Structure formats: structure tokens, C-alpha cells
Amino acid sequence: MSTASSRDPINALVAALDLPPLNDGPLSGACFTVKDNIDIAGHRTSFGSPTWRDTHPAPVHNALCVDQLLAAGARCVGKAVADEFTYSLDGESQFFGTPQNAKAPGRVPGGSSSGSAASVANGLADFSIGTDSGGSVRVPASLCGIWGMRPSLHRISEAGVLPFMPSVSTVGILAASLPLLETVARVLLNSRTAPVAAPRRLLVLGDAVELALPAVQQQLRAALDEINRCTGLVAEPIRFGELIGEDVPLSDCNLKALRDLQTAEFQSTVGNWIEATRPELGATFALAYGNVRRFDRIAALESLARSERFFQQINAALPPGTIICFPTTPTAAPLKGTLDTLEAVTAFYDPTMTLTAFSGVGRLPEISAPLLAAEGCPVGLSFAAGHYQDEALLVALSEILGPQAG
Amino acid sequence: MSTASSRDPINALVAALDLPPLNDGPLSGACFTVKDNIDIAGHRTSFGSPTWRDTHPAPVHNALCVDQLLAAGARCVGKAVADEFTYSLDGESQFFGTPQNAKAPGRVPGGSSSGSAASVANGLADFSIGTDSGGSVRVPASLCGIWGMRPSLHRISEAGVLPFMPSVSTVGILAASLPLLETVARVLLNSRTAPVAAPRRLLVLGDAVELALPAVQQQLRAALDEINRCTGLVAEPIRFGELIGEDVPLSDCNLKALRDLQTAEFQSTVGNWIEATRPELGATFALAYGNVRRFDRIAALESLARSERFFQQINAALPPGTIICFPTTPTAAPLKGTLDTLEAVTAFYDPTMTLTAFSGVGRLPEISAPLLAAEGCPVGLSFAAGHYQDEALLVALSEILGPQAG
């Protein structure tokens, strides 16, 4: 079933393409890849599933976000490998092969925007567009050592992007540098040049830090010291419960809110299609889908309400001028082929999603910066701001990380 | 092709159903219908198109919003007629017949949530859920003389709701009374009982009022006088340009922002499917689709940027405590069968969409109240608040309209 052997050894791409820019613009000279759940005209979109690809016709139009990039001067050089139905954070595709993690040999690239991250980390593209519902841009950015941004929920048009989890899915960006990330983001976000609040407060999410490996914690402290030295900003530790004014752990963002909302929405989109079509499923996805199938969406309606409440509480605590940071992932990338037991899967996903669910339920813009490491492999340092404060976050990172952004 | 003759004379329903409530709750005793682009398990969803219905399998799950209502105690009594691909505001379906407008005999019900509005106006249901991308809940509510709410963009989960225009589509509510509308809204919005800003300022959108028939303008003034008498609030006229601090007409919300965004997104969703499938199209939709097909999405990218800018400008002008009102539609419902020339279509759609596009680009919650009339037929009076201020809008309307809400 795998077609990986017929492609490049990096295995980042489903297909190399050459879609020239439509105009000159701020992205002239830059080339990009497109995750294979985002439409490119004339090419079938696989959604990471050969059955989906073969049962859906090729789109006539590019996704709107692809057109925005081509019109801004960028060149599209390929469709990038995606995890099956983009329902994974590890990047090991049984159908399309596992993209290479250039900076962590022998390890997974992270997913589900696995090929997007690998294409940037390996220098095949300057940037890539992916999607992020539970960490699918931020996790591969962290594990491959590149920049990644999940914008505020629904700031970028999802027209031509495969339906997945409408309350949590967003188009995201992976890039080789912060200045390029900012330029791409401003195109997709339709940003105006307008004054934004300067960063006045830098919070550090304590419960998130504690989940990280000691090496990650140590480097995070060093990065914060460097920020303090360069900008005078003093990082203030804060626990999730303190932030939102209610004594609940950070893990509730995942376990009592986002995960159920995701699962219920996945049932309504991909789930309905799987039940009607009975497609060939990869073994890992088939296991995960077993849980989706058994999921009681009525019992989980409480989690919808909890998500809405977390959204309001988190945003009340993040006014313009306040930035919050935490490790993007608690560890470096797992070794390839090791996520094959329930224990290993749980040990990777639970702490990782505790960190990614914070911006997920908060609908926050989050940028993962390739500034940390563990076991000699990359780990991202994330910064988030309030919902719709994407431009303020981009400006804040330029100020905060100017010297480290390289 | 029409199956209308086999159904009730009101023609509001595609199918009568009886889905009992899953629990007791705030909606116990209330019954509702569901627009036929929102999934009900075991029944094919038509999206207003027989070809779509016949080429898509029945969903296994209800849409999440349907489950929310059943779990809150409501009973579902039918699937309601929708305009073809929900791409219309008039409610005349060539495939499913035209639902009856109980309070305006011989006239269209408005669309695309035509059967939803008719089922409530005719007393078949206490409330209905529909969808609104360019006015598809607000227009039929206005023309049928019932209550209608388009909530803030993306406040209600769209899982199991057919993809349409992801940057502008939202699930909406039609109801027989304001108290019921509020109860339904609080269930779907996952509202908490929390204090909200009291209405301190009531603006009246001047350019919107001027587009309305003189009778509508006169009744709007009388309604505002009554509000003033009961609450002391003095309605302040304001032009769109004054509101956003830029000298542009209200019609730009439609002509230079929302309409292009809608058309580009429609190309990417329904458009791709039509091009691949070549379904049977109704004559009216086929005409409209001709424009979609010829549409230059690259040239229209500027409208995406304009939409984003209007969103920011409108919301900067609508802080908590400020409500803005205007006629929902400029006129009463057109006579059935008269929207058959380009001139008639333009004369109905252009001014109507100038009014509905305001909350569309603003992503505002808007409630249409059945308080006005023209030519002896209903016209709605709309109230809108800032993005995500849904609960404040609901509370404000109870205060403002308590005596008139009936």
C-alpha cells in the first residue's frame, strides 16, 4: 500500500508540484508546500487516506489560503504528507510513509502536518501550510525544530480545507524563520499595519512547565533569562487555576473539554463517512477510531459547555499586552516505531495534549519557537496571546526573541 | 421532480419525524424542526438538492446541535425544507416546493431556512434550527413574522451541518417567542448564568433605515419611541461611515466584502462538487451559479482583507453595553413567482443583503424581532451587539422589548 519507496528519501511530499506565483508580492522568492488536506486544483486531496483520495474527485479550485499565498508572490512546490484523516500527532503514516525528521534522526517528525514540517526542516520549502486541531502544526514544528503558528480559531478561511472539527480546526503555518512566519501570517490573516499593544507582561504556565523533561525546564529558564536580559520583561510563573480563577488542573483543558469536543465533531465529519464507506484504515488509526466509535456524545455535551467556559476564562486573563509561554511539547520526538502499545501512545499523547489543549480551548494564537532541546533533539518554546491578538503576538515575538530568532 | 404534492399543504417539512427528548431539561415540552442541511441520524440530508441527497449516505450521528436540543428536553418533529444548497434568500424551491407564509398569504416565506420559518409561523413547531450565511435565518424570520437569531460566528458547533461558507456560516434559531428563543439560544451557546453589561446605548443604523419602505421607517420610529417610553433609552441615529470612522457606505459590507468572500468560499465547497458531479440544478439556482462559476477569486482577495477590516472596525464601535438596531429587511416578502427576472432579483437581493451583510462581516449576534410591517405583511426589527456578546444581546432584548415581546 505504501508508495513511499517511489518518492524521495525525505518522504515529505505526496507529489512535487510547481505552481508559479500569480503576482509579485511580499512572498516573492519564497516557496511552500501544502498539507494534503488542503485543496490544490486538479489534484485529488487524500486527507491522509488512499480510500478518501480515490473516492473524491479532484477539486477545481485551490483552497482560498493557497490562492492567497500564490497571489502574494509565493511558489507552491508540493503537496505534503499528512497523517490519516489528520487524526494523529506522531507523523507515522502507514499509507504514505514517515517523513524524515532532519534534526532528530531516527525519530518521528510529529503530526499530523508531518510532511509540512519535514519539507521545511529539510530545506525543500521555505514554509508550509498545515492545519491544527489538537496540535497538528505546533507539535511537528516543535519536534522538527522549526517555527510553527496556530492562529486564532477561524482567522484564516477554511474554504477548500477538509472538514474535520469545525470548533477547533484552523489553518496554520510552519516556517524556517520568524520573519518569514510573520510575513506569511500577515498575508493569510489579512493583517493591516496598525498599532498593537506592546508586550507588558510575560506569564509562564507553571503546570505546563512541570510536565516537561528536566532538560526542557532548564533551557526554558535560560531562554527566559535571556529575554529578561534583552527586554527587561520578567517572566511571572502562574498556574492554570490561578490564571482562570478556579481551582482546576491544566489537564482539564484536554480531558474535560477539548478532547470530547474533538471526538464528537470527528464523529460528525469523518466518522459518518467511515461508517458509510468502510474504507481501508491504517492499524494505528483503526485503534484510535475504535474509541471514536464507542464515544458517547450525549454524555460529553458537558465538555462543550466546559470548553466555552474555559474559552471565556482564559481570554479574560489574557488582555492585550499579556503573553503567556510554555514548552510546546514536554519532550523531544519519540523514536520511530515505538508508539505501538497503548502505554506508549498514552505516555506521548496525554502530556502533549495537556499542553496543546490550552490554546485549543482558548482559541488563542500560539507560536512555537525552535529554542529548546532534549536528548540532543529539538523542542519548541510556545508563546500565546488572547483570541484574535495574532498581530500583537507576532510583534511581541519579534521584540522578545529578536536576538534569539536567528 | 417536486415531491411537494405528497406532503402537507403548508409544505414546511421534507419529512415529519418524532425524535423524543433524551432527558428532561429547559426545553422539555417544546418541539422543533431541523433545516435539511443539518444532519439527523438515519435520514439523508438533502442540502435542498435531490442529487446531493441521492449521492450522499445517511449520517450515523445527529448534528451536535440537534443532540444538544434533544438532551435539553426538546422533541424533534421534522426535517424542514431548505433552498437549494441554502444559496438563496427567497424560499422558492423548485424541488421541494415553497413553504407557506402564514402571515403573508401568496408571498414567499424567505430563505434559505424557509421550511424552518414556515413550521414555526404555522404552529407545527415551537422553534426550528436553521443556518445563516448571508441572512438565511434573519430574512425568513422577518418575512414570516417570527423571532430569529443569527448568533456570533462560530459560537454554535457546526459539526454535522453541511459545509457551505466557513467564514460566514452559522447555525441559527427561529422561534415563536423571545423567551423561547432565549432558552434555545442558551442551550446551544452553552451559556452560563453570568452578569452581562446592561444596555446603555441604543444606536440606529441610519443608512439601513433609509433603504426601508416608508411604512417600515415609520413603524421603526414608533417602536423606538415605545422603547424610550419603557426604558428611557434614547435611540441615537448613526451612519455606517460614522460608526466605523471611515467614509464608506453601508453597501460596501455587501458589495466589497461579504459577497465576494461568500462566493469564493462557495466555489471551494459546493462549487467543486457541482463541477465534478454535474447535478440537476433548479433554474433559479443555475442562474445564480453561473455567476459563481465566472467569479474571479483572485481579483476578489481584496474583499477578504476588507471583510477582516470591517470586522475589526465594527466591533471597535460596539463595546459591551451598546446595541445597534435596523430593519431586518427593507420590505415585506415579495409575491410568489415574481422573482423571475434579473431586475426583480436584484431589486430584492441588493437592499436586503446590504442590511444583512452588516452583522455578517461584523460576525455579530443579531436578533430579528417581529415588530414591524409593510403592506399588511410582517417585517422584522433587528438588534445586534458586538461579536461574542450573544448573552448580553439576549438580556438587553428582554429589557428593551419586554412589553412588546408578547
Side-chain angles (χ1 to χ4, degrees), chain A residues 88-240:
Chain A
S88 166
L89 294 176
D90 55 53
E92 294 191 285
S93 170
Q94 283 155 277
F95 294 117
F96 296 93
T98 301
Q100 188 185 88
N101 188 333
K103 297 178 188 168
R107 297 183 182 239
V108 303
S112 64
S113 306
S114 54
S116 289
S119 65
V120 173
N122 282 281
L124 298 178
D126 301 306
F127 71 93
S128 185
I129 46 174
T131 53
D132 187 313
S133 298
S136 282
V137 160
R138 294 163 287 162
V139 170
S142 176
L143 302 186
C144 288
I146 59 173
W147 295 83
M149 178 176 191
R150 174 192 161 95
S152 293
L153 188 68
H154 301 308
R155 267 294 302 264
I156 300 176
S157 171
E158 287 132 54
V161 180
L162 275 168
F164 187 41
M165 300 164 178
S167 296
V168 292
S169 296
T170 184
V171 173
I173 306 156
L174 301 109
S177 73
L178 178 58
L180 181 60
L181 182 79
E182 178 167 356
T183 306
V184 175
R186 287 183 171 278
V187 168
L188 293 174
L189 296 168
N190 287 298
S191 297
R192 282 194 296 163
T193 309
V196 296
R200 286 184 301 269
R201 243 189 124 186
L202 178 62
L203 307 175
V204 186
L205 192 56
D207 354 23
V209 175
E210 289 162 16
L211 281 171
L213 289 180
V216 172
Q217 297 190 26
Q218 187 183 340
Q219 289 177 57
L220 185 140
R221 281 190 294 272
L224 295 177
D225 287 345
E226 179 69 9
I227 289 170
N228 175 252
R229 199 182 59 74
C230 296
T231 67
L233 275 173
V234 178
E236 307 167 41
I238 191 165
R239 298 192 67 81
F240 179 66

Side-chain angles (χ1 to χ4, degrees), chain A residues 12 14 22-23 46 54 131 140 145 147 155 174 236 262 283 317 321 345:
Chain A
V14 173
L22 295 168
N23 292 306
S46 78
D54 297 341
T131 53
W147 295 83
R155 267 294 302 264
L174 301 109
E236 307 167 41
Q262 285 185 330
V345 167

Side-chain angles (χ1 to χ4, degrees), chain B residues 26-391:
Chain B
L27 292 173
S28 288
C31 63
F32 70 105
T33 59
V34 175
K35 185 178 182 181
D36 198 15
N37 66 333
I38 299 176
D39 283 348
I40 293 182
H43 297 263
R44 287 175 185 253
T45 307
S46 79
F47 208 173
S49 157
T51 309
W52 183 283
R53 179 194 60 203
D54 297 341
T55 55
H56 288 78
V60 173
H61 302 286
N62 295 329
L64 211 42
C65 54
V66 172
D67 281 333
Q68 286 180 280
L69 296 170
L70 295 173
R75 175 177 295 270
C76 176
V77 296
K79 280 176 89 73
V81 171
D83 282 337
E84 195 172 358
F85 303 115
T86 68
Y87 195 69
S88 168
L89 294 176
D90 55 55
E92 294 192 284
S93 170
Q94 282 155 277
F95 294 117
F96 297 93
T98 301
Q100 189 186 86
N101 188 333
K103 297 178 189 168
R107 297 183 183 239
V108 303
S112 65
S113 305
S114 53
S116 289
S119 64
V120 174
N122 283 283
L124 299 179
D126 301 306
F127 71 93
S128 185
I129 45 173
T131 53
D132 187 314
S133 298
S136 281
V137 160
R138 293 164 287 162
V139 170
S142 176
L143 303 187
C144 289
I146 59 173
W147 295 83
M149 178 175 190
R150 175 193 161 95
S152 294
L153 188 69
H154 301 308
R155 265 295 301 268
I156 299 176
S157 172
E158 288 132 53
V161 180
L162 276 168
F164 185 43
M165 299 165 179
S167 296
V168 292
S169 295
T170 183
V171 173
I173 305 157
L174 301 109
S177 74
L178 178 58
L180 180 60
L181 181 80
E182 178 167 356
T183 305
V184 175
R186 287 183 172 279
V187 167
L188 293 175
L189 296 168
N190 288 298
S191 297
R192 283 193 296 163
T193 309
V196 296
R200 286 185 304 270
R201 245 192 124 184
L202 178 61
L203 306 176
V204 186
L205 191 56
D207 354 23
V209 175
E210 288 162 17
L211 280 172
L213 290 180
V216 173
Q217 296 190 28
Q218 188 184 340
Q219 289 178 57
L220 184 141
R221 280 190 296 271
L224 295 178
D225 286 346
E226 179 69 10
I227 289 171
N228 175 253
R229 201 181 59 74
C230 297
T231 67
L233 274 174
V234 178
E236 307 167 42
I238 191 164
R239 300 192 67 80
F240 179 65
E242 287 175 77
L243 183 79
I244 68 164
E246 184 181 345
D247 187 22
V248 292
L250 179 63
S251 55
D252 276 11
C253 286
N254 178 29
L255 299 177
K256 301 206 172 159
L258 195 70
R259 200 170 67 175
D260 288 346
L261 178 57
Q262 285 185 329
T263 309
E265 295 205 330
F266 192 80
Q267 284 183 325
S268 278
T269 51
V270 179
N272 277 339
W273 180 80
I274 289 176
E275 294 303 319
T277 312
R278 303 284 168 179
E280 182 188 7
L281 300 178
T284 309
F285 176 80
L287 266 179
Y289 184 67
N291 292 327
V292 173
R293 228 173 164 214
R294 284 186 294 272
F295 178 74
D296 180 351
R297 63 206 266 122
I298 304 302
L301 287 176
E302 180 54 35
S303 294
L304 263 77
R306 200 69 188 90
S307 290
E308 183 66 32
R309 192 167 163 196
F310 276 143
F311 164 67
Q312 292 170 8
Q313 290 171 315
I314 290 171
N315 279 281
L318 296 177
T322 297
I323 303 288
I324 188 162
C325 75
F326 45 89
T328 311
T329 53
T331 64
L335 290 165
K336 285 201 276 190
T338 60
L339 294 172
D340 55 356
T341 65
L342 182 61
E343 290 68 29
V345 167
T346 305
F348 174 62
Y349 276 86
D350 274 6
T352 301
M353 291 201 63
T354 295
L355 271 51
T356 59
F358 175 72
S359 296
V361 294
R363 305 175 204 168
L364 310 179
E366 177 180 331
I367 293 174
S368 177
L371 295 179
L372 312 178
E375 302 163 357
C377 297
V379 172
L381 171 56
S382 267
F383 297 83
H387 183 55
Y388 281 143
Q389 295 175 37
D390 302 68
E391 285 81 359

